[in-house]
Amino acid sequence: MYKVIIADDEYMIHRSLAKLVESSEHPFHVVGEAEDGAEALILLKEKPDLIITDICMPGLDGLAFIEKAKQVRPDVLFLVISGYGEFEYAQRALRLGVEDFLLKPVSPDKFQQTLTAIYHRLEKQKRKVMDYRQWFLSHEELLVQLADAIWRLDEKAVDDLLHKLVHLYEEEAADEIPFPTLNNILQEKITKELTNRGLPFPEPPIYRGLTTDADEKIKDTSSVLSQCRAYTQILLHAVKSSRNFGSRTHISKAIMYTKENLSDSTLSVQIAADIAGMSVTYFSRLFKEETSTSYVQYLTRLRMEKAKRLLDEQLLSASEICERVGYTDYPHFSKTFKKVYGIAPADYSKLHRSI
């Protein structure tokens, strides 16, 4: 089913057009009707495949509406129906990439013929998109890695993965997949991945401006890479903003995990950073800002405090306590304990028993 929006300031006309659309032999369905361009822009949330619009409407006219709508939904098709017969309007409409330009009063037969032509165009587009998506599916792992690098704020990894993706695009798909389509599917996939990881934004609307007139901007591989970088920089900024807003929560999650897993000898700053959903470098900086100490120093302090409590209870030997607080090497444990408390754990235990 293909979704259709109709914009015309004359109620009876857009109602008549809606009936013609619904009576088509092809699977078209009217999902919204508007009486001016501004109202029609709101209806873009319905994600139409075809927009039928008049030119002369109050406020935002049809041609201005088309220009704005294409920035939001570059793949949507347009059919202009107007009482204006002047050549300049038809020229401007065609320059904007509309499918056809029909004059009022519209012949029902001519309208249905035009809908049939548009239907075949939409079907062709759909087949192309299926082919495009197959290419992206074949590189699914790379896209997931890119989203993960953005989530971890690992800018070097992001750049390396972008280089790899653009190289594959140039080698395998540039002749078949237009750059705006590459951008749209890249945006859809990575936005979904980041949203699933908890990034609190529905979509990056600021990025739409980057794809405007992309065909004219893209001249070579470096241009493609530059455009993709601009997109990922927006996403990196969104992640950073989210982290700055919720850094206390992310760090608290890592601290809670650390406290609950002190006996795990594999516990490390890498694991803590993964729990917080950050790169090690970014996590370490935020952790120190939050606790005024490094993660390693914090972990050591917690382990030594727990070791001291267990020694005070006199239920376990020093070597057993060594394992309980995540050390696999007793001499290392003993040396660390002595450095913190000025006495070896075994001597501390003996001293405590003698008191």
Side-chain angles (χ1 to χ4, degrees):
M1 184 68 68
Y2 291 113
K3 298 179 181 179
V4 181
I5 284 175
I6 300 173
D8 194 298
D9 63 329
E10 296 183 58
Y11 175 78
M12 293 306 298
I13 290 180
H14 67 72
R15 276 282 70 216
S16 297
L17 291 173
K19 288 179 181 178
L20 286 172
V21 170
E22 295 289 356
S23 65
S24 170
E25 62 179 312
H26 304 297
F28 288 107
H29 175 58
V30 177
V31 294
E33 297 177 43
E35 295 188 6
D36 58 57
E39 187 180 344
L41 281 176
I42 297 172
L43 291 176
L44 291 178
K45 66 184 179 182
E46 300 294 338
K47 298 182 179 179
D49 302 291
L50 170 65
I51 297 175
I52 302 172
T53 182
D54 189 10
I55 288 180
C56 183
M57 294 186 291
L60 190 69
D61 67 32
L63 296 177
F65 161 63
I66 292 171
E67 289 180 334
K68 289 182 178 293
K70 276 187 167 290
Q71 292 178 14
V72 179
R73 295 196 57 79
D75 296 330
V76 73
L77 302 186
F78 290 88
L79 169 59
V80 171
I81 296 177
S82 178
Y84 281 81
E86 289 87 347
F87 184 60
E88 64 172 292
Y89 288 104
Q91 275 192 318
R92 283 184 63 195
L94 292 172
R95 279 201 299 271
L96 288 170
V98 303
E99 292 304 300
D100 211 334
F101 186 101
L102 302 180
L103 293 177
K104 296 177 182 177
V106 178
S107 160
D109 289 341
K110 176 62 176 174
F111 183 80
Q112 293 296 351
Q113 290 172 11
T114 304
L115 275 187
T116 296
I118 289 174
Y119 168 74
H120 290 306
R121 172 72 184 275
L122 286 167
E123 285 289 290
K124 186 177 180 181
Q125 269 190 0
K126 185 163 68 174
R127 286 193 295 273
K128 277 191 174 182
V129 169
M130 293 292 288
D131 292 340
Y132 299 160
R133 290 186 183 278
Q134 281 300 117
W135 184 81
F136 278 94
L137 282 172
S138 69
H139 298 297
E140 177 93 6
E141 185 178 348
L142 179 60
L143 293 172
V144 172
Q145 289 174 358
L146 180 56
D148 186 58
I150 292 170
W151 181 246
R152 291 183 289 105
L153 296 174
D154 189 339
E155 297 194 35
K156 183 180 184 307
V158 169
D159 206 47
D160 289 345
L161 289 165
L162 277 181
H163 269 94
K164 186 173 182 180
L165 179 66
V166 170
H167 175 72
L168 289 169
Y169 169 70
E170 290 287 329
E171 289 288 313
E172 303 171 355
D175 292 338
E176 298 296 327
I177 303 178
F179 178 71
T181 305
L182 170 72
N183 265 346
N184 290 339
I185 299 179
L186 183 68
Q187 175 184 350
E188 176 186 312
K189 177 63 182 176
I190 294 183
T191 299
K192 181 179 178 182
E193 288 289 331
L194 292 177
T195 302
N196 289 342
R197 285 167 166 79
L199 188 61
F201 72 99
E203 59 179 339
I206 192 173
Y207 179 58
R208 293 181 187 130
L210 297 174
T211 54
T212 304
D213 301 324
D215 287 329
E216 286 73 25
K217 294 176 183 176
I218 300 304
K219 303 300 181 186
D220 50 31
T221 301
S222 63
S223 302
V224 174
L225 187 60
S226 176
Q227 291 283 300
C228 288
R229 274 185 178 141
Y231 171 44
T232 55
Q233 284 301 313
I234 288 171
L235 293 180
L236 285 164
H237 176 73
V239 174
K240 287 176 183 176
S241 297
S242 171
R243 295 282 163 74
N244 289 337
F245 176 75
S247 61
R248 196 175 292 268
T249 300
H250 292 290
I251 297 299
S252 295
K253 189 189 296 185
I255 287 175
M256 183 66 69
Y257 182 86
T258 300
K259 289 179 176 178
E260 292 174 352
N261 293 274
L262 287 176
S263 62
D264 184 355
S265 62
T266 65
L267 198 58
S268 66
V269 66
Q270 179 66 66
I271 289 175
D274 289 342
I275 294 298
M278 304 177 187
S279 69
V280 170
T281 302
Y282 190 68
F283 171 79
S284 297
R285 179 167 67 80
L286 283 185
F287 190 91
K288 192 157 189 176
E289 288 176 2
E290 188 69 26
T291 64
S292 300
T293 187
S294 72
Y295 178 78
V296 172
Q297 290 171 333
Y298 179 79
L299 175 60
T300 300
R301 178 169 63 80
L302 287 184
R303 282 175 163 166
M304 292 303 102
E305 288 174 353
K306 183 176 181 180
K308 183 175 178 294
R309 287 197 304 273
L310 292 173
L311 286 169
D312 288 342
E313 292 172 359
Q314 299 185 45
L315 298 175
L316 300 170
S317 68
S319 59
E320 289 173 325
I321 291 171
C322 169
E323 293 180 6
R324 289 288 183 94
V325 296
Y327 284 84
T328 56
D329 179 45
Y330 183 80
H332 182 211
F333 165 68
S334 181
K335 183 179 179 181
T336 304
F337 190 92
K338 186 173 182 178
K339 184 177 180 180
V340 174
Y341 294 109
I343 185 173
D347 294 335
Y348 179 88
S349 182
K350 288 176 186 176
L351 180 64
H352 194 76
R353 280 198 300 269
S354 66
I355 296 175

